[in-house]
Each structure stands twice: as structure tokens, then as C-alpha cells.
Amino acid sequence: MTRTVYVNGEYLPETEATVSIFDRSFLMADGVYEVTSVLEGKLIDFDGHLARLERSLNELEMEKPEAFDDLLDIHRKLVELNGIDEGMIYLQVSRGSAGDRDFVFPDPEVVKPTLVLFTQSKPGLADNPVAKKGIKVISIEDIRWGRRDIKTVQLLYPSMGKMAAKKEGCDDAWLVEDGHVTEGTSNNAYIVKDGKIITRNLSSDILHGITRAAVLRFAREAQMEVEERPFTIAEAQDADEAFVTSASTFVMPVVEIDGAKVGAGEPGPVATRLREIYLDESIKSGI
Ligand code: PDD
């Protein structure tokens, strides 16, 4: 089936959807994005993703796309048109195309943002077999820019991190700055020690994960102790458990860090339980 995608007000077959070669996301990485998961045909944490999109746009002084208030309908229509039961919706807003290359932002009265959305069908996303065995990560230095709280499309370094992990037979990389883990290449990072969940505090050093917010809320509601502070790779290797969260992996156990087994080297009870709670609760509140 040809995927139907959305570009600037139109629903088109993916083969007919186009964006200008002068689009600033293409030339300058001048764009922001969101990834929202779909489970049982429903959008998960949609309001959180929309709120973060608005924040990213504000932080970059980028205009909201004209269709901003219709984004829920657009997401739902794409789910329906593409028959998505489990998967993701990718959304990108760029500062548009001024018809040439120029570092200076174009006049927002003249140049309108580009809005693109497409679906990714991922049957078996919730029941992902990888979650039953966990993933292996390596650590690399975090050399990204200083505004990681803005969800921009500057994803070259995260891609390089995933490639470095792949070359070492691992699944992902954790990024380390000043001796402390910031986050994963495309997820937030956690460890569990003596029943306590430890994850880096929010700041411009990390993306404020929508899944993170929900998982920490569920953890606190389940009377689990949470501490928000930076931790080192050595502390993580010595932890009882480790895991990551994101809209595409939910809660994913980490069983090895830089070749050292975490705990028993298999998914632990806290990560396993948080994954169950997150999936149950978010399917219930999906829209
Ligand atoms: N990535 N940190 C980074 C650097 C991320 O790219 C992501 C999400 C997260 C988790 O955020 P959330 O829980 O809101 O998905 C943390 C998405 C899934 C991606 O790039 O595909």
C-alpha cells in the first residue's frame, strides 16, 4: 500500500509529496519535530507532544504552522488513511523556504513554515521481543549543541552514535558530558539502585521526554522512589538495573553498558513493571 503523507495542507501519496530544495530544514537543520506513537489505533501522549512542539517553536522564534490547531485531526486522519494500528507518526515543522540560501531568518510574514507528517507502521511495537532481552549500549562523548531541550532535526551526531554502537555489536549509545550521562541518542536514560530510580534532572542538557514525564509520574504513583540527578557510567554499570524511555521504545531495559553487565544482565523487575504500567495506562488514555 502506498503511504499517504501530509505536506502543507495536502494529503498525498508519498511518491508525490515534495518540499523545496531551499527548505531551511534541508539547508540549515532549521526545523523541529515530534514522534508520537500509535497503539491500538490511538495516539499516545498526544497533548504532551503538542505542548513540546509549541515550546520548541517558541524557543526558536519560529511561527506556528497555520494548521497548528488542526494537528490532532491531521494525526487521526493519517492513522485512518494508512490503517495504522501500531506505529508512529513523524511530524516536522521547518522555517520554510525563502527560495534561496541565506543564514538570516526569512520574514515570517512572507515565508511560511513547512509542515510535514508521515506514518510509520510498526506491528508488534508494544509486544516488542527486544524488551524481553534488553539492549546493549556503549558510551560516547556528548558533543551536541547546548540546547538539547529543543527537539531540532540536527540528528547527525545521534546517528553517528547509533552507528558507533552498531559497529561494536551494540544497540545504542549513551552520551556523556563532564563525566555524567546526559541521555541516550534518542531516549532518556535511567538507572535503578536499591529500588530507587535515578535519572538526570531536566535542563537544556537533555530533551524533556514526554515518555519520561509519564513514566516518572506512574513510578511515583506506584510509590517507587525517584531521584532526578546526573549519574556516571561507573555508577550505571554498578546499578541493579538500567533502562531508557522514548515514544518509540516506551520503557526499554538496558542490560549491558560498555561491555559490563548491569545487574544480572537481563531486564530487571522495575523496568519490566514500568513498561507494563506505561503501556496499560497510555493505551487507556490514548486519543
Ligand atoms: N526521540 N532524548 C532524545 C535525544 C530524543 O531524541 C528522544 C526522542 C527522547 C525521548 O523523548 P520522548 O519520550 O518524548 O519520545 C529523549 C524520538 C523518539 C526520535 O527521535 O525518534
Side-chain angles (χ1 to χ4, degrees):
M1 187 171 102
T2 310
R3 181 159 48 169
T4 301
V5 304
Y6 175 97
V7 186
N8 292 330
E10 287 189 286
Y11 294 88
L12 298 166
E14 64 183 38
T15 45
E16 287 170 32
T18 57
V19 171
S20 165
I21 63 157
F22 299 113
D23 195 273
R24 288 183 60 88
S25 58
F26 180 59
L27 298 178
M28 307 271 172
D30 189 359
V32 297
Y33 76 107
E34 282 296 329
V35 175
T36 303
S37 56
V38 178
L39 292 174
E40 298 185 7
K42 294 192 289 187
L43 300 162
I44 304 303
D45 288 332
F46 180 79
D47 292 343
H49 288 285
L50 193 71
R52 187 173 61 192
L53 173 65
E54 188 167 10
R55 180 177 181 278
S56 293
L57 293 169
N58 279 335
E59 292 299 309
L60 295 176
E61 294 175 25
M62 205 184 287
E63 291 278 291
K64 273 192 202 169
E66 218 178 294
F68 188 85
D69 293 338
D70 304 328
L71 282 175
L72 176 57
D73 291 343
I74 297 170
H75 277 74
R76 283 179 163 157
K77 186 152 178 193
L78 284 177
V79 167
E80 190 193 315
L81 290 172
N82 293 291
I84 306 295
D85 181 48
E86 285 192 330
M88 274 105 69
I89 304 196
Y90 178 85
L91 170 156
Q92 183 172 320
V93 183
S94 83
R95 207 181 301 271
S97 158
D100 202 355
R101 180 173 183 268
D102 189 349
F103 283 84
V104 175
F105 294 172
D107 180 352
E109 292 298 317
V110 181
V111 175
K112 295 297 166 196
T114 302
L115 174 63
V116 169
L117 288 94
F118 59 82
T119 55
Q120 293 183 290
S121 180
K122 303 268 178 195
L125 189 65
D127 202 22
N128 189 348
V130 178
K132 295 189 179 71
K133 63 182 189 53
I135 60 166
K136 298 177 184 177
V137 303
I138 58 165
S139 66
I140 58 171
E141 203 191 331
D142 194 343
I143 58 164
R144 297 172 302 163
W145 80 325
R147 290 303 308 275
R148 301 152 193 162
D149 55 315
I150 308 174
K151 198 163 171 60
T152 75
V153 297
Q154 303 175 70
L155 296 176
L156 181 56
Y157 192 64
S159 290
M160 290 170 76
K162 295 229 196 240
M163 289 310 296
K166 196 174 166 187
K167 276 188 198 135
E168 294 191 32
C170 292
D171 306 285
D172 205 352
W174 277 10
L175 308 173
V176 177
E177 187 173 56
D178 297 332
H180 292 90
V181 175
T182 51
E183 57 187 335
T185 59
S186 63
N187 42 58
N188 291 115
Y190 308 72
I191 56 173
V192 182
K193 186 70 179 175
D194 299 328
K196 191 192 286 178
I197 299 162
I198 301 162
T199 192
R200 194 177 178 107
N201 48 296
L202 295 181
S203 71
S204 52
D205 296 340
I206 62 169
L207 186 73
H208 301 189
I210 303 305
T211 319
R212 176 189 184 281
V215 165
L216 292 187
R217 191 175 71 245
F218 296 141
R220 287 180 171 121
E221 281 169 10
Q223 316 300 328
M224 297 179 189
E225 204 183 333
V226 175
E227 191 178 340
E228 295 180 61
R229 63 158 174 87
F231 58 85
T232 64
I233 288 291
E235 196 182 356
Q237 288 171 325
D238 188 45
D240 303 322
E241 292 182 44
F243 63 94
V244 292
T245 65
S246 76
S248 50
T249 60
F250 313 121
V251 177
M252 180 60 71
V254 170
V255 295
E256 200 180 290
I257 303 171
D258 285 338
K261 279 197 171 98
V262 180
E266 54 191 51
V270 174
T272 304
R273 174 137 170 67
L274 282 175
R275 183 178 175 91
E276 279 167 16
I277 300 177
Y278 179 78
L279 287 172
D280 284 354
E281 294 297 323
S282 35
I283 291 170
K284 261 191 246 160
S285 58
I287 58 171

